[in-house]
Amino acid sequence: MFEQFSSYWQQTLNWQPTPAQEQGFAELYNLVLAGNQTQNLTRITDEAEFWEKHLWDSLRGVLEVWEHPGLKVIDIGTGAGFPGLPIAIAQPSWHLSLLDSKAKKTNFIRSAVESLGLEQVSTFTGRAEALNQLGTHFQKYDLALTRAVGSAALCAQYTLPFLKVGGIAILYRGQWTEFEQLELEDTCHQFVNTKIEAKITRVESFTTPLTASQRHCIHIYKVAHKVARSEITD
């Protein structure tokens, strides 16, 4: 399964999955197909579409930090486990927390994590705006990821409290407009006026290998965070 796409990994990401990782991707696909029989996990079930939009896209989003071992990562609004599960398969040294507000989704992910043997993955059910204030999550992560969660400004509000100073939020987007850019810059400016200092450091534009669709990844760097004692809860 997915053998017909194997050359694209090296061509587009300068990376090649091991046979075990290829098997993990195939097993994840089968688990999603089975899970879709009882709940609406994803509308993307065609093999080629799944490879491009769920596997390749998940990994392409973290390409700029690919060589950093041992990162602590949170995937916010993970849904059926994307981008978190493909990243966990491809990056066994990274420690991933997958967060979603819907228990049905996180129950599926827990089952998938067990089936795939992904011991470095933890799963949480809850709202990002609540969990990012808890001592177990507040400023604990090197990398925070969001895909299809909401506006870029809202994603910044969700992700930045999770990040350590020096951490990066990566926002997976389809199209990227000047309005969204200005809105996100304004959100970062508002943070400066409160407790968090953050800035947009990179706007990546790329095309997908099979359908040549345009995608963007927005990088937000957390410069500083002045923490009030009342801000952290247990």
Side-chain angles (χ1 to χ4, degrees):
M1 188 179 293
F2 304 131
E3 293 89 353
Q4 65 269 42
F5 312 121
S6 60
S7 63
Y8 288 109
W9 291 121
Q10 190 66 42
Q11 293 171 12
T12 60
L13 304 186
N14 195 30
W15 173 80
Q16 194 69 42
T18 65
Q21 288 167 333
E22 290 277 19
Q23 183 179 347
F25 292 148
E27 185 175 350
L28 174 59
Y29 177 55
N30 289 327
L31 289 169
V32 170
L33 291 182
N36 253 7
Q37 300 302 310
T38 57
Q39 60 175 305
N40 182 27
L41 293 173
T42 177
R43 61 173 181 78
I44 299 171
T45 56
D46 173 78
E47 185 175 327
E49 193 176 15
F50 187 93
W51 181 87
E52 181 179 65
K53 293 184 177 179
H54 277 333
L55 299 181
W56 184 89
D57 187 69
S58 293
L59 302 192
R60 177 59 181 81
V62 294
L63 184 61
E64 293 301 315
V65 293
W66 192 260
E67 300 299 328
H68 295 266
L71 292 182
K72 189 170 183 181
V73 183
I74 185 163
D75 174 11
I76 300 164
T78 188
F82 304 100
L85 289 179
I87 292 172
I89 293 170
Q91 288 282 12
S93 78
W94 290 11
H95 302 275
L96 288 102
S97 295
L98 274 58
L99 169 63
D100 201 88
S101 61
K102 297 179 180 178
K104 286 185 178 181
K105 297 287 179 68
T106 53
N107 287 339
F108 165 78
I109 293 168
R110 288 189 185 97
S111 176
V113 165
E114 184 175 353
S115 296
L116 294 165
L118 300 174
E119 297 180 359
Q120 84 278 30
V121 177
S122 301
T123 308
F124 299 93
T125 307
R127 305 289 302 181
E129 62 268 34
L131 268 69
N132 66 15
Q133 300 303 309
L134 297 179
T136 50
H137 295 284
F138 179 75
Q139 294 202 101
K140 299 296 185 184
Y141 296 91
D142 304 297
L143 197 63
L145 312 174
T146 62
R147 193 174 84 149
V149 169
S151 71
L154 183 63
C155 289
Q157 294 170 18
Y158 285 162
T159 55
L160 289 170
F162 282 109
L163 290 171
K164 304 171 184 176
V165 172
I168 298 172
I170 299 179
L171 283 50
Y172 289 64
R173 315 296 294 181
Q175 297 299 312
W176 185 246
T177 66
E178 183 180 357
F179 173 79
E180 289 177 302
Q181 179 85 18
L182 293 172
E183 184 183 37
L184 183 56
E185 288 173 353
D186 184 59
T187 298
C188 290
H189 178 71
Q190 290 175 27
F191 277 130
V192 172
N193 292 334
T194 55
K195 302 167 187 172
I196 298 174
E197 184 177 351
K199 61 181 180 180
I200 303 169
T201 57
R202 189 176 182 88
V203 177
E204 293 185 273
S205 177
F206 53 90
T207 56
T208 60
L210 302 184
T211 60
S213 301
Q214 189 175 35
R215 298 282 294 161
H216 293 82
C217 279
I218 318 305
H219 292 223
I220 307 173
Y221 179 76
K222 186 170 181 177
V223 178
H225 195 147
K226 183 179 179 181
V227 181
R229 180 169 296 183
S230 61
E231 192 170 352
I232 307 173
T233 57
D234 295 327

